[in-house]
Amino acid sequence: MKLVHLTRFILPLSAAIALTGCFDSGSSSGSDDTRTGQIHFQGVGGLTYQTASQSGKTNTRGEFRYYPGETISVKVGNLPIAEGIPAREYVTFLEFQEDTRAALQTPAVDDEGLNSHQVREQLLFENNTLMNLSRFLLALNWTENVDDDEGIDIRERVINQLNQALDDPNLPNTIDFNVSISEFTAENSPANQILAEICFHPKDDPLCGEPPTQEEIDNADDRPVDGELDPDVDYKEDLEALRERILQSVRNMDEFDNEQARNYLRRELAAITRKLSRQYYLSPEDATHAAGDTSIKSVKVKKIRGDAQLAQLQAQSTRPTDVYVNAESWQEAEVEYVVDGRTGGESEILVNFRPEGTYRWVRKQIRILID
C-alpha cells in the first residue's frame, strides 16, 4: 500500500480574499539605525513580514526589523494575515486589525476607577476575527500545545504544505478570518480544509500517509494467534490501528478553542505589561510624615534608564481622609499630596500613568505613614 498524505473530499468553494498585502521582494538593509520589533513576548516564528524598507521572516523570538514610523504587513507563507500594522517594539494579535488597534487607544476603567488597558484587552477577546486568527495561528504550531515558556513555532515544513494547499485548485485559495466563529470552525470551512492538508510530522512519517481504506482492511489477513508474524504482511489489526492514528493526527479548528486562545493572549499581553512596568519606579517608594505637617509633598515617576516621558497620569489615595492628592502633572511626571490625618494614620497613593508611545498603563503605589 502506497502511503501519501491524507486528502479530504471537498465541495468546490469560492473564497473572497478578505485580507491582502503587498509584499515586494527585498532584504533588510542591515543599517544600524533600524530597530528590532517582536511579535508577542515569547515570539511567533516563521511569519513573513514586509515594511517599506525591510522584509524577511520572523525568527523563533518573533523578531523583525523596521524603521520608526513604518508599518508592517504579515503573511504565513502565501496566506495574508494582516497589513498596515504600526511597527514597534512589541506587536500583538490585537494590533493586527484596525478596529481592535483603534479600540486599544481608549482604556477601560477598572474596579478602582482608574484607566486600564488590561480591561480593554480582555473586552476585545470577544472579537470574532481576533479569536479566529489566534486559533488558526495556534493550530499551525509544530506541537499541539504552546507551553508557557514557548512561542508559536511555524516551521518551514508546515509553511510549504500550507502553500501547496493554497495552490490546489480543489481547495480554497485563502482564509477569511472575518466570518463568524461557527462558520470559521465548521467541518468543511476553508480553515479546516487547509489544516487537514498539513502533516505536523517529518515527511517520511507514516502519519503523513493516506489512511488504509475500509476495503483494504477487510481484505487483509487477521493476525495469527499462534506462530510467527510475517514482517512483509500488513495484518487487519495493523491497518485498523494505522488508519485510526492517521485520522487522529489530522488537526481541526475545534481542538484549538476560544478559551485556549484567550489564555495564550492573556499570558503574552501580561508579559509585555510586566516588562514595561519594570522600567519605572516611584521616588520615594514610601514616606513617613509627622501629623500636622500639611505642607505639599510630592512623589515622582522615574525611569530606570532615561527620562520618564509620560502621555497621561492619574493618582488616587486609598484613604483620602488621611492623605489626599493635591495635584497631578504628566508633564513633570509628578503627583503632589497632603497629609491630613492623625498620628497612626496611613494611606497608599496609586500612581497610574501611560508612557509615551504605548497604549499600556503602568501602576505603582507609594505607602505613606503618619507619625
Side-chain angles (χ1 to χ4, degrees):
M1 178 185 64
K2 182 180 179 181
L3 296 179
V4 296
H5 184 56
L6 171 64
T7 303
R8 290 183 174 178
F9 174 78
I10 62 166
L11 295 175
L13 292 175
S14 60
I17 298 178
L19 295 173
T20 59
C22 179
F23 294 88
D24 297 327
S25 61
S27 60
S28 297
S29 67
S31 175
D32 290 339
D33 56 353
T34 58
R35 297 184 182 179
T36 300
Q38 191 168 322
I39 298 179
H40 280 195
F41 187 79
Q42 295 290 351
V44 181
L47 297 178
T48 299
Y49 73 89
Q50 175 84 49
T51 72
S53 65
Q54 312 290 303
S55 65
K57 275 190 178 180
T58 58
N59 57 23
T60 55
R61 295 182 297 277
E63 292 176 334
F64 59 90
R65 302 292 294 176
Y66 70 98
Y67 283 100
E70 289 187 321
T71 61
I72 182 173
S73 298
V74 177
K75 297 193 298 183
V76 180
N78 297 328
L79 177 67
I81 297 296
E83 62 178 352
I85 312 162
R88 50 174 60 101
E89 182 181 6
Y90 284 105
V91 173
T92 72
F93 295 167
L94 277 70
E95 296 165 271
F96 277 18
Q97 305 163 238
E98 185 176 356
D99 57 344
T100 52
R101 194 163 61 239
L104 289 171
Q105 304 307 314
T106 303
V109 177
D110 64 13
D111 294 339
E112 293 174 320
L114 296 173
N115 288 344
S116 170
H117 69 278
Q118 292 173 308
V119 175
R120 175 62 63 196
E121 289 172 341
Q122 297 287 326
L123 292 172
L124 290 176
F125 289 173
E126 300 304 316
N127 183 280
N128 285 351
T129 303
L130 174 63
M131 286 296 102
N132 292 339
L133 178 63
S134 300
R135 290 171 66 173
F136 185 74
L137 292 177
L138 283 169
L140 294 182
N141 187 59
W142 184 247
T143 59
E144 287 191 87
N145 297 306
V146 179
D147 292 336
D148 289 347
D149 59 347
E150 295 180 348
I152 295 177
D153 177 18
I154 305 176
R155 298 192 179 180
E156 194 66 25
R157 169 155 168 73
V158 171
I159 294 170
N160 290 338
Q161 293 177 89
L162 183 145
N163 287 341
Q164 290 173 7
L166 293 173
D167 290 339
D168 189 330
N170 295 316
L171 293 171
N173 62 1
T174 192
I175 295 175
D176 186 354
F177 296 100
N178 297 310
V179 299
S180 68
I181 291 176
S182 60
E183 184 177 349
F184 188 79
T185 59
E187 182 178 358
N188 270 333
S189 70
N192 273 329
Q193 291 182 54
I194 297 296
L195 201 56
E197 298 300 310
I198 301 173
C199 180
F200 294 85
H201 298 277
K203 189 174 183 179
D204 57 353
D205 193 295
L207 293 181
C208 294
E210 183 177 333
T213 65
Q214 191 59 51
E215 182 180 4
E216 289 172 322
I217 294 173
D218 292 340
N219 292 333
D221 294 332
D222 290 322
R223 179 179 291 186
V225 177
D226 299 317
E228 294 185 4
L229 301 179
D230 187 339
D232 296 325
V233 174
D234 291 324
Y235 295 104
K236 180 177 296 186
E237 293 83 357
D238 299 328
L239 295 180
E240 288 175 337
L242 177 60
R243 176 180 174 83
E244 183 64 20
R245 288 175 60 211
I246 291 175
L247 294 177
Q248 288 295 323
S249 71
V250 178
R251 293 188 185 178
N252 185 284
M253 289 309 307
D254 286 338
E255 300 172 36
F256 306 88
D257 60 20
N258 284 354
E259 191 55 33
Q260 184 175 346
R262 292 187 184 108
N263 288 337
Y264 166 76
L265 291 172
R266 287 189 191 101
R267 181 194 81 188
E268 294 296 308
L269 294 167
I272 295 171
T273 295
R274 285 194 300 271
K275 182 176 180 182
L276 176 66
S277 180
R278 292 190 189 108
Q279 300 176 38
Y280 297 89
Y281 65 96
L282 297 182
S283 179
E285 295 181 338
D286 54 64
T288 300
H289 303 291
D293 180 1
T294 58
S295 62
I296 295 176
K297 314 293 190 304
S298 67
V299 56
K300 292 187 70 70
V301 177
K302 298 281 191 176
K303 191 175 183 182
I304 293 176
R305 295 179 181 175
D307 297 328
Q309 297 179 336
L310 308 184
Q312 290 178 276
L313 183 145
Q314 298 175 312
Q316 179 175 285
S317 173
T318 58
R319 298 181 66 179
T321 55
D322 285 335
V323 179
Y324 66 85
V325 174
N326 182 65
E328 309 157 352
S329 173
W330 59 267
Q331 297 94 332
E332 300 296 328
E334 184 178 53
V335 174
E336 294 181 350
Y337 64 91
V338 175
V339 173
D340 197 33
R342 298 178 180 179
T343 300
E346 65 176 82
S347 179
E348 290 181 344
I349 292 181
L350 307 179
V351 181
N352 193 44
F353 56 93
R354 181 173 67 85
E356 285 187 354
T358 181
Y359 71 85
R360 296 177 174 88
W361 288 74
V362 175
R363 189 166 304 180
K364 302 290 182 178
Q365 60 190 44
I366 175 175
R367 186 185 183 196
I368 301 168
L369 303 178
I370 304 175
D371 194 0

